[in-house]
PDB file of all heavy atoms in Angstrom:
ATOM      1  N   PHE A 235     -49.863 105.557 -48.544  1.00  0.00           N
ATOM      2  CA  PHE A 235     -50.511 104.283 -48.877  1.00  0.00           C
ATOM      3  C   PHE A 235     -51.871 104.182 -48.201  1.00  0.00           C
ATOM      4  O   PHE A 235     -52.848 103.757 -48.794  1.00  0.00           O
ATOM      5  CB  PHE A 235     -49.653 103.092 -48.444  1.00  0.00           C
ATOM      6  CG  PHE A 235     -48.425 102.870 -49.271  1.00  0.00           C
ATOM      7  CD1 PHE A 235     -47.410 102.074 -48.794  1.00  0.00           C
ATOM      8  CD2 PHE A 235     -48.270 103.444 -50.520  1.00  0.00           C
ATOM      9  CE1 PHE A 235     -46.265 101.856 -49.547  1.00  0.00           C
ATOM     10  CE2 PHE A 235     -47.136 103.232 -51.285  1.00  0.00           C
ATOM     11  CZ  PHE A 235     -46.129 102.434 -50.791  1.00  0.00           C
ATOM     12  N   TRP A 236     -51.915 104.587 -46.937  1.00  0.00           N
ATOM     13  CA  TRP A 236     -53.143 104.493 -46.161  1.00  0.00           C
ATOM     14  C   TRP A 236     -54.207 105.453 -46.700  1.00  0.00           C
ATOM     15  O   TRP A 236     -55.354 105.067 -46.903  1.00  0.00           O
ATOM     16  CB  TRP A 236     -52.826 104.761 -44.694  1.00  0.00           C
ATOM     17  CG  TRP A 236     -54.012 104.821 -43.795  1.00  0.00           C
ATOM     18  CD1 TRP A 236     -54.834 103.791 -43.451  1.00  0.00           C
ATOM     19  CD2 TRP A 236     -54.509 105.978 -43.119  1.00  0.00           C
ATOM     20  NE1 TRP A 236     -55.813 104.236 -42.600  1.00  0.00           N
ATOM     21  CE2 TRP A 236     -55.627 105.580 -42.377  1.00  0.00           C
ATOM     22  CE3 TRP A 236     -54.110 107.306 -43.055  1.00  0.00           C
ATOM     23  CZ2 TRP A 236     -56.355 106.457 -41.594  1.00  0.00           C
ATOM     24  CZ3 TRP A 236     -54.830 108.185 -42.272  1.00  0.00           C
ATOM     25  CH2 TRP A 236     -55.941 107.751 -41.556  1.00  0.00           C
ATOM     26  N   ARG A 237     -53.829 106.713 -46.918  1.00  0.00           N
ATOM     27  CA  ARG A 237     -54.804 107.731 -47.323  1.00  0.00           C
ATOM     28  C   ARG A 237     -55.229 107.618 -48.778  1.00  0.00           C
ATOM     29  O   ARG A 237     -56.408 107.636 -49.092  1.00  0.00           O
ATOM     30  CB  ARG A 237     -54.225 109.133 -47.098  1.00  0.00           C
ATOM     31  CG  ARG A 237     -54.286 109.556 -45.675  1.00  0.00           C
ATOM     32  CD  ARG A 237     -54.744 111.013 -45.571  1.00  0.00           C
ATOM     33  NE  ARG A 237     -55.055 111.284 -44.184  1.00  0.00           N
ATOM     34  CZ  ARG A 237     -54.331 112.045 -43.399  1.00  0.00           C
ATOM     35  NH1 ARG A 237     -53.274 112.636 -43.859  1.00  0.00           N
ATOM     36  NH2 ARG A 237     -54.682 112.224 -42.143  1.00  0.00           N
ATOM     37  N   GLU A 238     -54.258 107.548 -49.687  1.00  0.00           N
ATOM     38  CA  GLU A 238     -54.582 107.641 -51.102  1.00  0.00           C
ATOM     39  C   GLU A 238     -54.903 106.295 -51.743  1.00  0.00           C
ATOM     40  O   GLU A 238     -55.725 106.217 -52.642  1.00  0.00           O
ATOM     41  CB  GLU A 238     -53.435 108.326 -51.848  1.00  0.00           C
ATOM     42  CG  GLU A 238     -53.284 109.778 -51.415  1.00  0.00           C
ATOM     43  CD  GLU A 238     -52.192 110.511 -52.154  1.00  0.00           C
ATOM     44  OE1 GLU A 238     -51.776 110.041 -53.230  1.00  0.00           O
ATOM     45  OE2 GLU A 238     -51.763 111.559 -51.643  1.00  0.00           O
ATOM     46  N   LEU A 239     -54.249 105.232 -51.292  1.00  0.00           N
ATOM     47  CA  LEU A 239     -54.474 103.922 -51.882  1.00  0.00           C
ATOM     48  C   LEU A 239     -55.383 103.038 -51.043  1.00  0.00           C
ATOM     49  O   LEU A 239     -55.676 101.913 -51.409  1.00  0.00           O
ATOM     50  CB  LEU A 239     -53.126 103.214 -52.118  1.00  0.00           C
ATOM     51  CG  LEU A 239     -52.132 103.982 -52.993  1.00  0.00           C
ATOM     52  CD1 LEU A 239     -50.801 103.247 -53.046  1.00  0.00           C
ATOM     53  CD2 LEU A 239     -52.697 104.202 -54.378  1.00  0.00           C
ATOM     54  N   ARG A 240     -55.802 103.553 -49.873  1.00  0.00           N
ATOM     55  CA  ARG A 240     -56.686 102.824 -48.956  1.00  0.00           C
ATOM     56  C   ARG A 240     -56.100 101.487 -48.514  1.00  0.00           C
ATOM     57  O   ARG A 240     -56.814 100.507 -48.347  1.00  0.00           O
ATOM     58  CB  ARG A 240     -58.069 102.613 -49.571  1.00  0.00           C
ATOM     59  CG  ARG A 240     -58.774 103.875 -49.946  1.00  0.00           C
ATOM     60  CD  ARG A 240     -59.213 104.616 -48.715  1.00  0.00           C
ATOM     61  NE  ARG A 240     -60.009 105.766 -49.084  1.00  0.00           N
ATOM     62  CZ  ARG A 240     -59.872 106.945 -48.511  1.00  0.00           C
ATOM     63  NH1 ARG A 240     -58.990 107.116 -47.558  1.00  0.00           N
ATOM     64  NH2 ARG A 240     -60.618 107.943 -48.858  1.00  0.00           N
ATOM     65  N   ILE A 241     -54.784 101.451 -48.348  1.00  0.00           N
ATOM     66  CA  ILE A 241     -54.120 100.260 -47.815  1.00  0.00           C
ATOM     67  C   ILE A 241     -54.043 100.450 -46.307  1.00  0.00           C
ATOM     68  O   ILE A 241     -53.200 101.190 -45.801  1.00  0.00           O
ATOM     69  CB  ILE A 241     -52.716 100.075 -48.436  1.00  0.00           C
ATOM     70  CG1 ILE A 241     -52.851  99.872 -49.929  1.00  0.00           C
ATOM     71  CG2 ILE A 241     -51.986  98.908 -47.770  1.00  0.00           C
ATOM     72  CD1 ILE A 241     -51.531  99.824 -50.674  1.00  0.00           C
ATOM     73  N   TRP A 242     -54.953  99.805 -45.583  1.00  0.00           N
ATOM     74  CA  TRP A 242     -55.059 100.061 -44.153  1.00  0.00           C
ATOM     75  C   TRP A 242     -54.097  99.262 -43.314  1.00  0.00           C
ATOM     76  O   TRP A 242     -53.959  99.509 -42.127  1.00  0.00           O
ATOM     77  CB  TRP A 242     -56.489  99.967 -43.655  1.00  0.00           C
ATOM     78  CG  TRP A 242     -57.287  98.775 -44.060  1.00  0.00           C
ATOM     79  CD1 TRP A 242     -58.040  98.638 -45.188  1.00  0.00           C
ATOM     80  CD2 TRP A 242     -57.444  97.554 -43.356  1.00  0.00           C
ATOM     81  NE1 TRP A 242     -58.648  97.423 -45.211  1.00  0.00           N
ATOM     82  CE2 TRP A 242     -58.303  96.725 -44.100  1.00  0.00           C
ATOM     83  CE3 TRP A 242     -56.938  97.070 -42.161  1.00  0.00           C
ATOM     84  CZ2 TRP A 242     -58.668  95.458 -43.685  1.00  0.00           C
ATOM     85  CZ3 TRP A 242     -57.297  95.813 -41.749  1.00  0.00           C
ATOM     86  CH2 TRP A 242     -58.154  95.027 -42.519  1.00  0.00           C
ATOM     87  N   ASN A 243     -53.396  98.314 -43.872  1.00  0.00           N
ATOM     88  CA  ASN A 243     -52.345  97.605 -43.128  1.00  0.00           C
ATOM     89  C   ASN A 243     -50.984  98.070 -43.615  1.00  0.00           C
ATOM     90  O   ASN A 243     -50.190  97.313 -44.145  1.00  0.00           O
ATOM     91  CB  ASN A 243     -52.469  96.087 -43.292  1.00  0.00           C
ATOM     92  CG  ASN A 243     -53.473  95.520 -42.336  1.00  0.00           C
ATOM     93  OD1 ASN A 243     -53.588  95.977 -41.213  1.00  0.00           O
ATOM     94  ND2 ASN A 243     -54.217  94.534 -42.771  1.00  0.00           N
ATOM     95  N   SER A 244     -50.705  99.337 -43.426  1.00  0.00           N
ATOM     96  CA  SER A 244     -49.423  99.924 -43.786  1.00  0.00           C
ATOM     97  C   SER A 244     -48.820 100.480 -42.505  1.00  0.00           C
ATOM     98  O   SER A 244     -49.384 101.382 -41.888  1.00  0.00           O
ATOM     99  CB  SER A 244     -49.645 101.034 -44.822  1.00  0.00           C
ATOM    100  OG  SER A 244     -48.429 101.602 -45.190  1.00  0.00           O
ATOM    101  N   TYR A 245     -47.691  99.930 -42.086  1.00  0.00           N
ATOM    102  CA  TYR A 245     -47.120 100.259 -40.780  1.00  0.00           C
ATOM    103  C   TYR A 245     -45.652 100.634 -40.894  1.00  0.00           C
ATOM    104  O   TYR A 245     -44.986 100.295 -41.867  1.00  0.00           O
ATOM    105  CB  TYR A 245     -47.208  99.052 -39.825  1.00  0.00           C
ATOM    106  CG  TYR A 245     -48.593  98.510 -39.653  1.00  0.00           C
ATOM    107  CD1 TYR A 245     -49.013  97.385 -40.342  1.00  0.00           C
ATOM    108  CD2 TYR A 245     -49.494  99.130 -38.796  1.00  0.00           C
ATOM    109  CE1 TYR A 245     -50.290  96.881 -40.186  1.00  0.00           C
ATOM    110  CE2 TYR A 245     -50.773  98.636 -38.639  1.00  0.00           C
ATOM    111  CZ  TYR A 245     -51.166  97.519 -39.338  1.00  0.00           C
ATOM    112  OH  TYR A 245     -52.425  97.031 -39.185  1.00  0.00           O
ATOM    113  N   THR A 246     -45.172 101.279 -39.867  1.00  0.00           N
ATOM    114  CA  THR A 246     -43.746 101.488 -39.677  1.00  0.00           C
ATOM    115  C   THR A 246     -43.380 100.743 -38.409  1.00  0.00           C
ATOM    116  O   THR A 246     -43.955 101.002 -37.350  1.00  0.00           O
ATOM    117  CB  THR A 246     -43.421 102.989 -39.497  1.00  0.00           C
ATOM    118  OG1 THR A 246     -43.867 103.691 -40.646  1.00  0.00           O
ATOM    119  CG2 THR A 246     -41.932 103.195 -39.303  1.00  0.00           C
ATOM    120  N   MET A 247     -42.456  99.810 -38.519  1.00  0.00           N
ATOM    121  CA  MET A 247     -41.995  99.095 -37.324  1.00  0.00           C
ATOM    122  C   MET A 247     -40.570  99.562 -37.036  1.00  0.00           C
ATOM    123  O   MET A 247     -39.712  99.486 -37.901  1.00  0.00           O
ATOM    124  CB  MET A 247     -42.009  97.576 -37.518  1.00  0.00           C
ATOM    125  CG  MET A 247     -41.645  96.856 -36.231  1.00  0.00           C
ATOM    126  SD  MET A 247     -41.476  95.076 -36.362  1.00  0.00           S
ATOM    127  CE  MET A 247     -43.045  94.583 -36.964  1.00  0.00           C
TER     128      MET A 247
END
Side-chain angles (χ1 to χ4, degrees):
F235 288 163
W236 175 68
R237 281 223 168 109
E238 294 182 19
L239 303 175
R240 301 289 186 223
I241 298 174
W242 48 272
N243 277 324
S244 181
Y245 305 100
T246 301
M247 185 185 302

